[in-house]
Amino acid sequence: EGGVVAGPLAVATSGLAGPVEAAPATKDSYVVSVTPRIGEQVRCAAFADGSLAPDAAAVMAGTGAAAQGASAATEIVAGAPLDITFSGLAANTEYDLYCATAGGVLTRKFDFATSGFLRQPAAHGTATGDKFAVSVITRIDEHTRCIVSAAGSVPADFSAAWEVAGAVSEGAAPAGSAAKAGEPHIASFTGLQPNTEYDVYCATAGGVISNRLSFSTSGFWTRPIQASAPTATSFAVRIAPRLSERVRCAAAVKSEAAPAASAVLDGAGAPAAQPGTASKDLNFTFAKLTSATTYQVYCATAGGVLSEPLEFTTSGVSMEAGESSGSGHTVIVTSKVSEVVRCIATRPTVKPSAYQVMQGIGAVGVGAEPAAVEVAHGVPTNFIFGGLDSNSAYAAFCATVGGALAGPAEFKTAVVEAAAVLEPASR
């Protein structure tokens, strides 16, 4: 009687909203945000990925946790977001996170990962003479940066990698570029030197430096190397590319201007391009060349690198007439290269091949013909035929061991006057 009935009393129970990410993960730390329903102590704990779910008491005690983040009771305000920081985490690792209240409420599992690479830098395509690209896959969404440095160099620390200290080329803008977790992220480098070895490092905004990726730009270990002595019409070279890529070599008459690599690769009449294997010799043979001619061989890679030239001269000789007597004749021979040469004198109707000349087939005269001799490049050498008939027509031919043939150089021996016959005077 006369009493007052009180209205209902609103009582909030223990609980949490969240957790949600409050700041991007680094290589060893992570921050989450939770919002408590009442002012009570809250704890969060990170467990190894795939662990059995703990209960609220285990989270509050940190039992079995890989890392624990706690809040001080005096800082907790009901309904106000609370940031909880984890430190000492392992880089490039996935975790299961749970939060709990002192009142015994446990959140659902929250998955997160620390900064790192799911896949280390790998070549993306084949290097050219001045370009290269790498592909990396990050574990989380974060900015990534890659740099190219001289072979054998190592970034002193994360800052050196991120700030591009010592880099010869960088594959991202100064702030890095955004990489999507689990997806290939491409970094491209330009302005590199051909035929050069480099190292690539990538870094995440979270402070992780990748493993080193070593690579070489397109090029050759050496200039073309002579594989066999030139003949009158053919020549062979070998060359080893630095990378596994398509290679082609072409021979052209010596010129002041070097061809473009693309012209060598597309060269009409050159030996077909070959798929090259890194550091393995490739052999190219050139045929249908012109004798006694100086050529240059250039090789080119699919990556656009032109080799240094190899100069060679095909086998060949020139002849000029020397002195002639009643039973002999001299020809003066000059060779385009230092090689073995043989000359013979024949009757004008005989047309020997280079092989026949080298074998002395068809030769006439006492002693047949001069022996084959080594003729030095550019040094005139006399070949003397003897035992010939006077006042007779002949043809001289010279041949090289490389298969070049010079001649006919026709000549006629001198007339030999008959000696006068003395008869007794008549009486």
Side-chain angles (χ1 to χ4, degrees):
E1 185 178 347
V4 177
V5 178
L9 176 63
V11 178
T13 56
S14 178
L16 287 170
V20 295
E21 181 174 282
T26 70
K27 64 180 180 181
D28 58 3
S29 66
Y30 190 57
V31 182
V32 295
S33 177
V34 294
T35 303
R37 290 175 56 85
I38 62 176
E40 63 179 329
Q41 189 176 24
V42 175
R43 286 185 181 270
C44 296
F47 296 84
D49 182 50
S51 299
L52 292 175
D55 56 21
V59 171
M60 291 298 293
T63 305
Q68 187 178 21
S71 59
T74 55
E75 296 176 352
I76 296 174
V77 177
L82 176 68
D83 289 344
I84 297 179
T85 300
F86 297 89
S87 60
L89 303 174
N92 198 33
T93 303
E94 295 183 353
Y95 291 95
D96 294 339
L97 184 145
Y98 297 88
C99 294
T101 66
V105 174
L106 179 71
T107 64
R108 286 182 292 182
K109 181 181 72 170
F110 178 78
D111 294 309
F112 78 93
T114 49
S115 177
F117 295 99
L118 277 174
R119 189 183 72 192
Q120 296 290 328
H124 181 71
T126 302
T128 68
D130 60 355
K131 299 181 181 66
F132 184 65
V134 298
S135 170
V136 295
I137 298 179
T138 57
R139 188 173 287 277
I140 63 176
D141 292 348
E142 63 180 329
H143 275 61
T144 302
R145 190 175 200 174
C146 298
I147 63 170
V148 169
S149 57
S153 62
V154 180
D157 51 28
F158 164 74
S159 296
W162 192 256
E163 299 301 328
V164 203
V168 296
S169 180
E170 57 177 300
S177 56
K180 187 73 174 175
E183 297 181 4
H185 180 73
I186 311 301
S188 298
F189 308 97
T190 60
L192 304 175
Q193 294 299 311
N195 203 36
T196 304
E197 295 182 349
Y198 292 98
D199 291 335
V200 171
Y201 290 92
C202 296
T204 66
V208 175
I209 299 177
S210 72
N211 295 340
R212 178 180 65 187
L213 171 65
S214 296
F215 74 95
S216 295
T217 47
S218 179
F220 298 101
W221 288 105
T222 64
R223 70 175 64 204
I225 298 172
Q226 178 176 312
S228 62
T231 70
T233 58
S234 66
F235 184 60
V237 300
R238 69 177 187 271
I239 193 166
R242 188 179 281 272
L243 306 178
S244 294
E245 60 180 328
R246 190 167 59 96
V247 175
R248 192 172 199 174
C249 297
V253 175
K254 184 179 178 181
S255 170
E256 293 297 327
S262 58
V264 173
L265 286 170
D266 298 334
Q274 299 183 42
T277 301
S279 303
K280 300 293 184 181
D281 280 342
L282 294 173
N283 292 289
F284 292 87
T285 299
F286 308 98
K288 299 181 180 180
L289 304 176
T290 302
S291 65
T293 303
T294 299
Y295 290 87
Q296 287 177 317
V297 173
Y298 286 92
C299 298
T301 67
V305 176
L306 185 70
S307 73
E308 293 293 319
L310 170 65
E311 186 174 302
F312 72 94
T313 301
T314 49
S315 176
V317 292
S318 61
M319 300 167 54
E320 60 179 291
E323 295 182 354
S324 185
S325 64
S327 61
H329 182 71
T330 301
V331 292
I332 304 170
V333 174
T334 304
S335 178
K336 291 291 289 185
V337 295
S338 295
E339 61 180 332
V340 174
V341 177
R342 193 172 201 172
C343 298
I344 65 172
T346 70
R347 297 299 181 183
T349 56
V350 177
K351 306 294 183 186
S353 66
Y355 172 79
Q356 290 172 324
V357 172
M358 290 300 295
Q359 298 300 313
I361 299 171
V364 296
V366 176
E369 81 291 335
V373 297
E374 179 79 20
V375 175
H377 167 228
V379 178
T381 303
N382 292 336
F383 282 78
I384 303 172
F385 308 107
L388 304 177
D389 296 333
S390 65
N391 196 29
S392 298
Y394 293 94
F397 290 88
C398 292
T400 69
V401 72
L405 178 66
E410 297 182 350
F411 65 92
K412 189 174 182 179
T413 51
V415 176
V416 177
E417 297 290 343
V421 179
L422 298 178
E423 296 182 357
S426 59
R427 298 188 179 191

